[in-house]
Every structure is written in C-alpha cells, then in structure tokens.
C-alpha cells in the first residue's frame, strides 16, 4: 500500500500538463473557426456589393434603352440625327467598339434623373440605321453601376413599317 501512495502524486502532475495542452489545442481550434467565419462573411459582403452594382447598371441600361426607343418611335431628330450605319460583317459593329462610347457625337445621353444616382457614368445609347431609308433601327444602350467593372449592354430593334 505504500507503493500506491507514492505513485498517486506523480500521476497528478502528469495530468496537469495534459490539461494545458488540450486547452491550447481547443483555443487554436476556436481561433481557426472564428477566422474562417469572418473570411466567409467578408466574401459574402463583396458578392452582395457586386450584385448591387450589377443591378444598378442593369436598371440604367434599361432606362436608357426605353428612353431612346421612345425617341426613335417619335422620330425625334436628337437621336435620329446620330444614327450610324452598321459596318460590313468582317468589321466590328459600332456598339462593340470602345471608342463609340467615348465619342459624344455617336452616343446619346438621355436625362434620367431617377437613375443616375451613384453611377460611375451616365447611361448612353447608340442608334444604328439597319436599312436604307431609315425604316429599321438597332438601339444599343450601356449602363455602368457604382464601379467601372459592372457594365450592362442591352439591345432592341425597331422597325417602322
């Protein structure tokens, strides 16, 4: 019985070290879990911001397209006078060229006060005369959201017969 009395104190010292190691391991595990959830939240917040910018660009492009379509239907010279003719098939269409959207003589900026808030640029549209005599038009509108990375382009074709 004397031997068991001597072994018991040694066993208590060994168990105190194991508790410390287990506690440190659990703290590291909790820290990693917390950091992972914070990273996931930040990614979700970025995705929500990009989605909001894309929606703004979509709304701006749609509003510009509707406005420009109304001008074409009404035969308004402010837009009809800027109509271009499409290029030959091997060449790039007018609306695909980046220079078209930078040349104010080619695009039209409708005044859309309720849409232009917090956009990087005003929505624009380009009109292409698809037939001789001006009976068919292709209208392309472009809207940008809150950043330069969110760009939406929409097209409509109008034929006056």
């Amino acid at each position: 019985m004397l031997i068991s009395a001597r072994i018991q104190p040694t066993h208590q010292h060994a168990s105190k070290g194991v508790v410390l190691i287990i506690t440190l391991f659990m703290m590291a595990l909790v820290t990693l879990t917390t950091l992972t959830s914070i990273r996931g939240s930040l990614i979700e917040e970025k995705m929500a911001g990009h989605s909001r910018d894309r929606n703004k660009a979509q709304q701006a492009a749609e509003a510009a397209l509707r406005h420009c379509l109304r001008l074409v239907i009404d035969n308004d010279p402010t837009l009809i006078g800027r109509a271009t003719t499409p290029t030959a098939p091997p060449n790039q269409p007018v609306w695909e060229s980046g220079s078209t959207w930078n040349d104010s003589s080619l695009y039209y900026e409708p005044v859309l006060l309720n849409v232009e808030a917090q956009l990087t640029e005003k929505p624009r549209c380009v009109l292409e005369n698809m037939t001789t005599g001006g009976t068919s038009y292709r209208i392309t509108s472009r809207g940008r959201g809150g950043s330069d990375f969110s760009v939406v382009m929409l097209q409509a074709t109008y034929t006056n017969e």
Side-chain angles (χ1 to χ4, degrees):
M1 293 227 189
L2 290 175
I3 295 176
S4 67
R6 282 179 77 196
I7 294 175
Q8 192 172 2
T10 308
H11 182 65
Q12 286 178 349
H13 290 294
S15 69
K16 287 182 183 177
V18 171
V19 170
L20 179 62
I21 291 173
I22 291 174
T23 305
L24 288 175
F25 178 74
M26 293 301 287
M27 291 290 287
L29 191 61
V30 168
T31 302
L32 285 175
T33 304
T34 304
L35 290 175
T36 302
S37 67
I38 288 173
R39 184 171 182 249
S41 296
L42 291 175
I43 289 173
E44 287 176 11
E45 188 174 338
K46 281 183 181 180
M47 288 185 340
H50 292 308
S51 178
R52 184 187 69 237
D53 277 351
R54 173 101 166 106
N55 285 338
K56 283 182 186 179
Q58 175 80 25
Q59 291 174 9
E62 188 171 344
L65 184 66
R66 288 176 185 251
H67 183 82
C68 292
L69 183 59
R70 175 54 45 201
L71 291 177
V72 170
I73 291 170
D74 293 344
N75 205 20
D76 192 316
T78 55
L79 185 59
I80 301 293
R82 295 174 188 250
T84 61
T85 54
T87 56
N91 296 334
Q92 188 177 31
V94 175
W95 58 271
E96 282 186 350
S97 171
S99 61
T100 298
W101 300 106
N102 296 324
D103 184 355
S104 61
S105 67
L106 295 175
Y107 69 80
Y108 174 74
E109 280 183 349
V111 178
L112 306 166
L113 299 177
N114 57 343
V115 175
E116 295 172 8
Q118 301 174 356
L119 298 176
T120 55
E121 75 177 18
K122 293 180 179 182
R124 300 171 176 177
C125 59
V126 171
L127 183 66
E128 291 177 86
N129 189 350
M130 302 301 286
T131 58
T132 11
T135 58
S136 181
Y137 296 98
R138 176 171 50 205
I139 306 160
T140 307
S141 67
R142 183 180 81 169
R144 286 187 186 255
S147 72
D148 286 334
F149 299 112
S150 54
V151 178
V152 172
M153 295 177 78
L154 301 174
Q155 285 187 336
T157 303
Y158 173 76
T159 303
N160 182 12
E161 292 181 13

